[in-house]
Amino acid sequence: MGTSGQSDNRLGAYLKDRRGKLDPAAFGFPGTRRRTPGLRREEVAQRANISATWYTWLEQGRGGAPSAEVLDRIASALMLTEVEREHLFLLGLGHPPEARYRKDEGVSPRLQHVLDRLEPSPAMIRTATWDVVAWNRAVAVTLTDYGSLPPGQRNILRAIFLDRRVREAQYDWKSVARFVVGVFRVDAARAGASAEVTSFVEELCLLSPEFEAMWRENDVHSYGEGTKHIRHPLFGPISFEYSAFAVDGRTDLSMIVYNPVDPGLSDKIQSLIDEADTQPAGRPQRVQSSMSAVTQP
């Protein structure tokens, strides 16, 4: 009977387990004369700024479902990680918490290593606001050499609407641009970054009447996977099958992988990578002309 009660109150069991793993001294609480390890219920309630009675009821499975605000306070009080916080919401409310956008620069070395191992297939990481924060050499020699751009200019939407060379590389620029705007809108909202893109959208509206018109259409699109066709300055017409992947633990990031469709294209990309690797430092590289293509369909 006791075991069944515990399994029915998974939220209470999880809260008890989390507080039992915290060191009272680290939070300024006395660590003496404690019957069990970790924080006491009233100490968690104090840190979460809720009543001790209400917190006790939560652990005991009484009092109904907590609000999202209460769970957020408890998550902070217990110093939960993002994945632990998500699990708390799933137990308490039956759904993940509302997305909270965090703007982190760059990616981990391990994630960059994944991109590098995918060569000669171009692969990159972009944020929910479509800033490119990591890429492999196949992207640099085939699509866009982001390393030659200032960090503030490594944005796909900006390139689509403001770079003439990017426009010319597309077979149907208007369809591509409209699709990208629709996906961008969804990505920003899904990651909770709608407020983060306001000034960026206002800037693009001023610089590009075409963007402003498409933005006002309020269309939305899903990215997922598809085929990308571009005019490459060295290879001519080329095609890629692309797939988008979520980065676990980073709701702000997506990985895009482009697999060459055309026979022999992988070998051509590898040849450009090898050529770039053998160029002396500071010497202009022939492959940098590939900046005329953009990395999105």
Side-chain angles (χ1 to χ4, degrees):
M1 185 74 176
T3 303
S4 175
Q6 282 186 340
S7 63
D8 291 341
N9 183 23
R10 294 184 297 163
L11 173 62
Y14 186 66
L15 290 173
K16 184 176 180 180
D17 178 78
R18 292 299 94 186
R19 70 178 173 87
K21 288 180 167 60
L22 297 177
D23 180 9
F27 300 97
F29 296 117
T32 56
R33 295 192 299 275
R34 290 178 181 262
R35 290 178 298 177
T36 57
L39 298 184
R40 299 187 176 105
R41 287 172 175 166
E42 58 268 23
E43 292 168 341
V44 175
Q46 178 184 331
R47 285 179 47 77
N49 196 26
I50 60 177
S51 76
T53 299
W54 175 233
Y55 180 79
T56 299
W57 284 356
L58 281 181
E59 282 203 4
Q60 293 175 346
R62 302 160 54 194
S67 67
E69 180 184 0
V70 166
L71 289 183
D72 245 337
R73 292 182 182 181
I74 293 175
S76 297
L78 294 174
M79 304 291 288
L80 299 186
T81 64
E82 282 298 312
V83 67
E84 289 170 343
R85 175 174 172 268
E86 179 180 4
H87 187 65
L88 178 68
F89 270 71
L90 289 172
L91 293 177
L93 296 177
H95 60 76
E98 184 177 338
R100 297 187 304 184
Y101 182 66
R102 58 171 187 169
K103 186 175 182 180
D104 290 333
E105 299 297 332
V107 299
S108 67
R110 181 171 296 178
L111 195 52
Q112 180 64 56
H113 183 65
V114 171
L115 297 180
D116 295 338
R117 295 290 292 178
L118 289 170
E119 292 175 356
S121 292
M124 54 183 280
I125 303 288
R126 63 169 168 78
T127 69
T129 56
W130 284 45
D131 290 321
V132 177
V133 293
W135 58 93
N136 60 15
R137 294 175 301 173
V139 165
V141 302
T142 310
L143 298 171
T144 298
D145 182 9
Y146 288 104
S148 68
L149 297 175
Q153 299 297 313
R154 297 171 186 170
N155 183 274
I156 294 164
L157 216 63
R158 185 184 297 276
I160 282 282
F161 284 93
L162 302 182
D163 192 324
R164 175 184 54 81
R165 296 169 298 177
V166 170
R167 181 185 295 245
E168 293 173 351
Q170 312 302 322
Y171 282 95
D172 185 354
W173 177 86
K174 186 170 290 188
S175 294
V176 170
R178 182 171 280 111
F179 176 75
V180 166
V181 170
V183 178
F184 172 79
R185 185 188 297 276
V186 171
D187 282 356
R190 183 178 290 152
S194 296
E196 307 289 331
V197 304
T198 299
S199 60
F200 176 55
V201 167
E202 290 174 351
E203 178 191 0
L204 280 185
C205 285
L206 290 174
L207 296 174
S208 171
E210 291 165 309
F211 172 81
E212 182 180 23
M214 293 180 187
W215 184 255
R216 294 189 185 283
E217 290 174 359
N218 282 304
D219 288 341
V220 294
H221 297 285
S222 174
Y223 195 68
E225 58 184 25
T227 304
K228 171 182 177 60
H229 307 280
I230 62 171
R231 300 184 183 95
H232 192 271
L234 299 179
F235 302 147
I238 58 175
S239 301
F240 295 95
E241 291 179 342
Y242 66 83
S243 299
F245 305 92
V247 178
D248 189 36
R250 292 288 302 271
T251 58
D252 56 319
L253 298 182
S254 296
M255 176 186 292
I256 319 296
V257 180
Y258 298 89
N259 290 310
V261 173
D262 308 295
L265 182 55
S266 293
D267 292 337
K268 293 177 181 178
I269 294 173
Q270 188 61 57
S271 295
L272 281 186
I273 293 173
D274 295 340
E275 179 182 338
D277 287 344
T278 59
Q279 291 283 356
R283 179 180 173 183
Q285 294 184 9
R286 179 172 66 99
V287 297
Q288 287 186 350
S289 62
S290 62
M291 283 282 299
S292 62
V294 74
T295 53
Q296 297 297 330

